[in-house]
């Protein structure tokens, strides 16, 4: 495969990752959110495989497959089950209205581009230009955790952030060492389980997954 | 001075006038199929227009000259826009009259007068339609401009013929910026042509109509002109999208032998665009008017992402 | 005597002053006074137009020194293409408005004497011309004050209403705060330009030659920009504008909105491009951002208005914003040494200056004609005037189409040029600007579309439909002089729209002098027809062909459809078969802008109440429903209230010094003398 075409595909996938990140930011429906998350994982996994091919790093194939099983199949499945069990699939409440969130998201993209411009000048990798996108994805994940009230959206935001970090690792240095990646993957999996258990507890205690209800936990004065 | 560009020009306007009802008919026909109804056929819009032309005009007592002038103006701007957008060939003598921004403004002038005509009679429906139409247009405009901006970044021009030319000769295969701009453009085109998530073209349901509300009092040849211009607008937006994002098949300058082939290719592409439109319209429900900020906001977001990804990724 | 542009302009100003002197002599017959004085001002304005056009076309720079004023501080006057351009803008509109005034001011006959109005009107125009002609800080400020004072009295003209007096007071306060900032700015520049011994630094020539250290240049720019922005009504310093402009007589409103604000634009261009000349990019960014904010906020506030003249006044805020966008872009490009693009931005801004003068003048004249005929400014009461006032309606419509930036009229040309300047911003070397500047283009597009919505509302509610008020007044069409003024302004709007290349070629010398490059908008055969900034393959527009094309299709369609005589039947309104429709059911100004009010509501201070009377019987059948809506400018609460409160507080404190005993005052003086002696020891 021509290196030029590969870098174009890489850019295109980066754009899609960013698009799904924005999609999650503005999506109101719970299932739609999970599906978008799965799509993001798929683009990530494809991107990893392509980078692995271009850079001739074979361990990237493994992490690509890992991403595919974990983030495209397993986690979305868990979330799906969770949403079904807890019956929370109605529209997501937002703290900030959606057009405003979009504008903040755009500002974050510009900011991360500005931040990454010097790195871009220094680096020689094919994937260097996607670094800004990776950083933006991380920040948008965080923004999502801030602007949403629902606990399930918060974990999706968290997972999206992790996606962004993974993407950053792939594009900045052609991926982390395999051991680290395996460890992170395991962490994510365990985190998801723990979140799931917590959700059940929160749900039984407050009869809702609205995290604003947790304000009740503070000391009354 | 060469004469054949003028012939192509006239041919293009003839196609615009002649084929646009067929495109609308095609969309309606496919919509019938997807919804399990029997369709009146591809030619029904022609029959409608002919019938309206042969009828007398019934005008409200207090209609002013604006009401009578508007159909002609709307028709005129649509025809002029058809002379500028490259459909068959980029070698159009009056193409340099207007770049994309001017074309958008041509649609804007038609909308301006349609809205005035809606207010002319002094009914509540007319005012409602005008108010909503202008609101939606003002939200769509920034998104439209960002989409134009993105495309003009890639082609270093806002002139349509030049855009087509550059995209032809470009060797880049995957351009995320153009892909984003295209999705944004589709959303805007849905809003501007009054298709389903924004407005329902088939409705006379009083509280949901927008465009229909403005032209409620029209009849006879005035209504025929407005309906025809509406069909042309759909056709023009489809051609505009094709010329900007999928220009393959439009004959380049001087290549007159290719024009018949490019006509066939254009028909295929328009058919595909119509099918896409039917898919969207069947799959979506009409939105509440205040949800449209989010819809058009997404269009703006996509167009802006296109612009950003041009700088970041390309 | 050789006739030169300067000679023409001086005689124009002199003629205006002569009119002022003549006025008291002939005030016995008010009708004669109106006819004579406004004819004289028309002649003076015509001289100004000729002089201005000539000065720009010939590219002449001419100076004279008047040995009047303070000893050893003579007044300097200078005409160069930039000044000539603004002279043209001012004189052209005052020519049309003066003609219009012959008819309009007669509306006051028998109601109140107009002598003071005529005097202030002449002084006002003369002041504006002198501001532009001035070539030293002293003469500039004197003229500036003449202009401000004359316009203050014009705003006060109908002084029996309290809101007029309040608006005029607010206006004069803001004008003076601005004037102080301008004075300080000139002080900074003059202080560095020459030594204080013989005080030679106050001429603009000395300031031009001086090399200002960057921090002082910045101080001078910020002060000048603050002062001029206050005059131009840039958000957030705009609050006086929608109060003062609507209450003045309409011919004066036309001049204030159309051209008085432009003297501030002139000041900004003169100070930055000419006097200082060398500046960092962020100056341009400030101008650009404030321009964008003014444009968007101006049009959104305008949409919320239901007073026709107030709506137009808010649109002046918007259009000043659009002008500043062009100038700000030009400043950014200049600071990166991109002369061609800088020329594009500057020409876009300046061309919009001329365009705005024409269409805003036309619209205010139209609003004046409506006011003259109906004695009503509230649009909620109007409607259907197109049937009674066909001329005014058609001309007002031309103004609406022009200001909404629709081809083939003039507003579109300058907005199109501004868009082109935006589209070329990716050439900037600064990474961050590259990403942020395009978003400005989106805001400009939003502004244009909202302006179109606003003028659909303004025209639709005022002229279309049925009369909305309870009592139908007897409405008569505007008389001949008023129509003449409006027709000329409308024709200018049209010509500026279809022949932009001619005008831009004429004014291109300004961009050459200020940015170092000509724009050269026209290329190739039939060059006057095609507007092609930068390069023909980059972008092109032909207003002429757009107009002819639409005209051709419209006429052809009309003729084809009227081959066989089809009947037109008049019938009652159909309205989906609803029979009991009445004029109170029409959409009015408030309901028209309701969706936009809801979408952009967070920008305003809105109070909305619906009261049902009585509630008791059944909630679904109230006897009456009261709807109360108040939309306020947020800047009142954010900026003006605090300032006003602080100043009242301070003045109360200072008021304690007022003891009323002569000994106390003597003690103050004594202490002052002691302190001064200590310091100047």
């Amino acid at each position: 495969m021509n290196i030029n075409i590969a870098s174009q595909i890489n850019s295109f996938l980066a754009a899609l990752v960013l698009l799904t990140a924005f999609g999650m930011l503005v999506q109101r429906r719970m299932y739609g959110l999970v599906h978008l998350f799965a799509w993001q994982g798929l683009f990530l996994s494809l991107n990893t495989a392509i980078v692995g091919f271009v850079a001739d790093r074979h361990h990237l194939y493994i992490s690509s497959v890992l991403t595919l099983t974990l983030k495209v199949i397993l986690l979305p499945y868990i979330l799906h089950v969770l949403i079904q069990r807890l019956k929370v699939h109605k529209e997501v409440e937002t703290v900030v209205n959606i057009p405003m969130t979009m504008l903040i998201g755009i500002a974050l993209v510009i900011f991360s581009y500005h931040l990454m411009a010097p790195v871009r000048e220094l680096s020689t990798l094919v994937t260097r230009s996607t670094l800004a996108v990776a950083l933006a994805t991380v920040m948008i994940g965080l923004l999502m955790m801030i602007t949403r009230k629902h606990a399930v959206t918060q974990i999706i935001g968290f997972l999206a952030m992790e996606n962004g970090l993974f993407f950053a690792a792939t594009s900045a240095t052609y991926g982390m060492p395999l051991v680290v990646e395996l460890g992170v993957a395991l962490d994510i999996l365990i985190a998801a389980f723990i979140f799931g258990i917590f959700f059940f507890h929160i749900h039984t205690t407050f009869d809702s997954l609205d995290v604003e209800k947790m304000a009740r936990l503070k000391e009354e004065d | 001075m060469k004469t054949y560009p003028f012939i192509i020009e006239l041919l293009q306007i003839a196609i615009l006038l002649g084929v646009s009802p067929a495109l609308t008919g095609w969309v309606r026909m496919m919509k019938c199929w997807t919804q399990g109804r029997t369709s009146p056929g591809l030619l029904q819009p022609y029959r409608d227009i002919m019938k309206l032309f042969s009828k007398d005009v019934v005008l409200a007592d207090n209609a002013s000259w604006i009401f009578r002038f508007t159909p002609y103006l709307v028709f005129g701007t649509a025809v002029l826009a058809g002379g500028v957008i490259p459909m068959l060939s980029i070698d159009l003598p009056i193409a340099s009259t207007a770049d994309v921004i001017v074309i958008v403004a041509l649609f804007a002038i038609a909308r301006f007068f349609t809205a005035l005509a809606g207010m002319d009679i002094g009914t509540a429906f007319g005012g409602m339609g005008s108010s909503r139409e202008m609101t939606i247009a003002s939200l769509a405009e920034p998104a439209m401009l960002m989409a134009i901006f993105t495309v003009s970044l890639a082609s270093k021009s806002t002139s349509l013929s030049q855009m087509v030319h550059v995209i032809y000769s470009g060797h880049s295969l995957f351009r995320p910026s153009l892909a984003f701009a295209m999705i944004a453009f589709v959303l805007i085109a849905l809003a501007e042509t009054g298709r389903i998530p924004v407005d329902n073209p088939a409705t006379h349901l009083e509280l949901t109509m927008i465009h229909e509300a403005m032209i409620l009092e029209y009849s006879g040849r005035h209504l025929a002109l407005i309906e025809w211009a509406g069909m042309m607008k759909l056709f023009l937006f489809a051609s505009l999208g094709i010329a900007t994002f999928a220009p393959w098949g439009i004959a380049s300058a001087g290549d007159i032998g290719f024009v018949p082939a490019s006509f066939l290719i254009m028909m295929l592409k328009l058919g595909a665009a119509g099918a896409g439109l039917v898919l969207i319209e069947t799959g979506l429900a009409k939105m509440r008017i205040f949800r449209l900020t989010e819809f058009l906001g997404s269009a703006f977001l996509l167009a802006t992402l296109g612009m950003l990804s041009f700088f970041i990724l390309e | 005597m050789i006739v030169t542009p300067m000679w023409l302009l001086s005689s124009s100003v002199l003629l205006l002053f002569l009119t002022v002197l003549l006025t008291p002599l002939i005030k016995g017959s008010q009708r004669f006074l109106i006819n004579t004085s406004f004819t004289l001002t028309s002649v003076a304005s015509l001289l100004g137009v000729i002089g201005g056009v000539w000065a720009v076309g010939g590219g002449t720079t001419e100076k004279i020194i008047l040995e009047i004023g303070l000893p050893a501080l003579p007044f300097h006057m200078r005409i160069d293409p930039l000044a000539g351009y603004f002279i043209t803008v001012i004189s052209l509109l005052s020519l049309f408005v003066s003609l219009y005034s012959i008819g309009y001011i007669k509306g006051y006959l028998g109601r109140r004497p107009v002598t003071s109005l005529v005097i202030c009107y002449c002084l006002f125009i003369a002041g504006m011309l002198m501001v532009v002609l001035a070539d030293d800080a002293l003469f500039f400020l004197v003229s500036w004050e003449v202009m401000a004072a004359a316009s203050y009295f014009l705003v006060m003209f109908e002084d029996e209403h309290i809101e007029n007096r309040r608006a005029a007071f607010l206006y004069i306060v803001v004008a003076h705060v601005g004037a102080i900032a301008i004075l300080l700015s000139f002080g900074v520049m003059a202080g560095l330009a020459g030594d204080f011994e013989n005080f030679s630094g106050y001429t603009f020539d000395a300031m031009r030659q001086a090399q200002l250290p960057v921090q002082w240049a910045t101080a001078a720019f910020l002060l000048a920009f603050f002062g001029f922005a206050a005059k131009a009504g840039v958000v957030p310093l705009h609050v006086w504008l929608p109060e003062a402009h609507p209450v003045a007589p309409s011919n004066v409103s036309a001049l204030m909105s159309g051209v008085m604000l432009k003297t501030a634009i002139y000041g900004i261009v003169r100070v930055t491009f000419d006097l200082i000349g060398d500046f960092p990019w962020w100056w341009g960014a400030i101008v650009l951002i404030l321009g964008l904010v003014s444009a968007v906020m101006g049009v959104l506030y305008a949409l919320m208005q239901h007073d026709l003249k107030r709506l137009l006044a808010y649109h002046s805020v918007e259009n000043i914003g659009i002008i500043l966008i062009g100038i700000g872009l030009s400043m950014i490009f200049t600071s990166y040494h991109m002369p061609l693009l800088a020329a594009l931005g500057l020409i876009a801004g300046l061309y919009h200056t001329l365009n705005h003068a024409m269409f805003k003048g036309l619209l205010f004249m139209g609003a004046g004609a409506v006011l003259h005929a109906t004695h009503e400014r509230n649009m909620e009461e109007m409607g259907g005037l197109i049937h009674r006032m066909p001329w005014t309606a058609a001309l007002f419509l031309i103004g609406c189409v022009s200001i909404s930036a629709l081809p083939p009229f003039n507003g579109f040309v300058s907005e199109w040029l501004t868009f082109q300047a935006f589209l070329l911003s990716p050439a900037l070397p600064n990474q961050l600007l590259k990403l942020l500047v395009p978003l400005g283009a989106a805001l400009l597009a939003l502004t244009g579309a909202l302006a179109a919505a606003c003028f659909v509302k303004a025209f639709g509610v005022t002229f279309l439909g049925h009369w909305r008020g309870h009592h139908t007044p007897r409405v008569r069409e505007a008389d001949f002089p008023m129509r003449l003024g409006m027709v000329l302004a409308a024709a200018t709007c049209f010509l500026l729209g279809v022949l932009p290349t001619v005008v831009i070629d004429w004014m291109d010398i300004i961009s050459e002098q200020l940015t170092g490059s000509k724009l050269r908008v026209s290329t190739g055969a039939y060059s006057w027809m095609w507007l092609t900034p930068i390069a023909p393959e980059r972008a092109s527009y032909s207003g002429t062909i757009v107009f002819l094309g639409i005209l051709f299709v419209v006429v052809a369609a009309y003729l084809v459809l009227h081959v066989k005589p089809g009947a037109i039947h008049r019938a009652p309104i159909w309205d989906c078969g609803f029979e009991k429709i009445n004029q109170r059911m029409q959409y009015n100004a408030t309901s028209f802008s309701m969706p936009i009010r809801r979408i952009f509501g967070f920008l305003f201070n809105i109070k909305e109440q619906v009261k049902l009377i009585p509630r008791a019987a059944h909630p679904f059948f109230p006897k009456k429903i009261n709807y109360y809506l108040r939309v306020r400018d947020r800047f009142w609460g954010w900026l003006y209230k605090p300032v006003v409160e602080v100043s009242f507080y301070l003045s109360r404190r200072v008021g304690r010094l007022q003891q009323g005993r002569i000994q106390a005052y003597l003690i103050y003086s004594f202490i002052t003398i002691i302190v001064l002696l200590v310091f100047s020891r």
Side-chain angles (χ1 to χ4, degrees), chain C residues 111 137 203 345 411 431 438 560 588 611 615:
Chain C
R111 284 167 55 209
T203 61
Q431 296 285 358
V560 167
N588 60 15
K611 237 190 265 167
R615 294 184 67 94

Side-chain angles (χ1 to χ4, degrees), chain B residues 57 59 61 96 131 157-158 217, chain C residues 537-538 540 542 569 571 575 592:
Chain B
V57 175
L59 212 56
D61 286 327
S96 52
S131 162
S157 169
T158 54
E217 300 286 330
Chain C
E537 59 270 14
R538 170 85 220 185
S540 56
S542 166
H569 308 283
D575 197 35
F592 188 90

Side-chain angles (χ1 to χ4, degrees), chain C residues 109-405:
Chain C
L109 282 179
R111 284 167 55 209
R112 54 166 62 240
V114 294
T115 320
S116 68
L117 186 137
V118 171
I119 291 175
C120 290
Y121 181 87
C122 296
L123 284 176
F124 181 45
I125 298 177
M128 288 192 288
L129 292 178
M130 290 190 313
V131 164
V132 179
L133 285 174
D135 194 36
D136 65 60
L138 181 64
F139 188 36
F140 186 92
L141 287 166
V142 169
S143 323
W144 190 260
E145 286 302 317
V146 169
M147 179 177 88
S151 52
Y152 166 74
F153 286 113
L154 289 169
V155 171
M156 275 277 274
F157 180 63
E158 288 170 77
D159 54 3
E160 68 272 16
H161 304 293
I162 180 142
E163 73 262 23
N164 293 15
R165 296 200 296 271
R166 199 174 278 160
F169 180 70
L170 182 63
Y171 167 55
I172 200 80
V173 168
V174 176
H176 276 100
V177 170
I180 289 169
I182 297 168
L183 175 67
L184 288 175
S185 162
F186 281 140
V188 169
M189 285 192 283
L192 294 162
D195 52 302
F196 281 101
E197 289 301 317
N198 50 9
F199 208 75
S200 59
Y202 80 108
T203 61
F204 285 172
D205 264 340
M207 294 180 196
R208 255 178 224 120
Q209 267 134 33
Q211 289 293 321
L212 267 61
V214 70
Q215 66 272 29
W216 284 112
T218 305
F221 165 72
L222 289 179
L223 281 167
F225 185 62
F226 175 82
F228 289 124
K231 189 74 181 177
V234 173
V235 173
L237 301 170
H238 67 285
V239 178
W240 63 273
L241 197 151
E243 304 294 326
H245 286 202
V247 299
S250 296
N251 55 342
V252 178
S253 315
L255 281 182
M256 284 177 79
S257 259
V259 290
M260 186 187 76
L261 304 181
K262 308 301 156 43
T263 56
I265 300 292
Y266 166 78
I268 292 170
V269 174
R270 177 66 82 192
V271 168
T272 46
F273 283 93
D274 192 17
L275 300 189
I276 299 180
D278 194 23
F279 41 83
W281 64 267
W282 59 268
W283 292 16
I286 291 179
V287 177
L288 176 63
I289 289 169
L290 284 176
L292 286 166
V293 171
S294 301
V296 175
M297 295 302 283
V299 69
L300 281 173
Y301 280 124
L303 267 160
M304 297 304 120
Q305 307 306 319
H306 50 78
D307 174 335
L308 187 54
K309 285 178 78 178
R310 219 176 142 85
L311 180 148
L312 294 177
Y314 267 117
H315 270 287
S316 296
V317 176
E318 176 220 336
N319 280 285
I320 287 291
I322 296 175
I323 295 169
L324 286 183
I325 290 171
I327 290 171
L329 282 172
S330 173
M331 286 170 73
I332 292 176
F333 287 131
T334 309
S335 65
Y336 284 108
H337 306 291
M338 301 158 108
L340 187 60
L341 302 189
L344 176 60
L346 188 68
I347 291 286
L350 290 182
Y351 199 54
H352 199 72
T353 307
L354 176 59
N355 291 340
H356 176 242
M358 290 305 122
F359 56 63
K360 187 50 68 66
L362 172 60
L363 287 167
F364 262 117
M365 287 192 269
V370 170
L371 184 63
H372 187 86
T374 64
H375 301 289
E376 186 64 69
R377 263 166 42 190
N378 187 358
M379 295 194 317
E380 311 285 32
E381 301 287 318
M382 297 185 202
L385 291 178
I386 193 169
H387 301 291
R388 318 258 187 86
M389 309 175 74
W391 278 89
T392 310
L395 295 167
F396 195 84
L397 181 64
I398 290 179
C400 291
V401 174
S402 306
I403 197 174
S404 310

Side-chain angles (χ1 to χ4, degrees), chain A residues 175-188:
Chain A
M176 296 176 268
L178 192 56
V179 185
V180 181
E181 247 162 56
L182 282 174
V184 172
L186 199 65
D187 274 354
I188 293 284

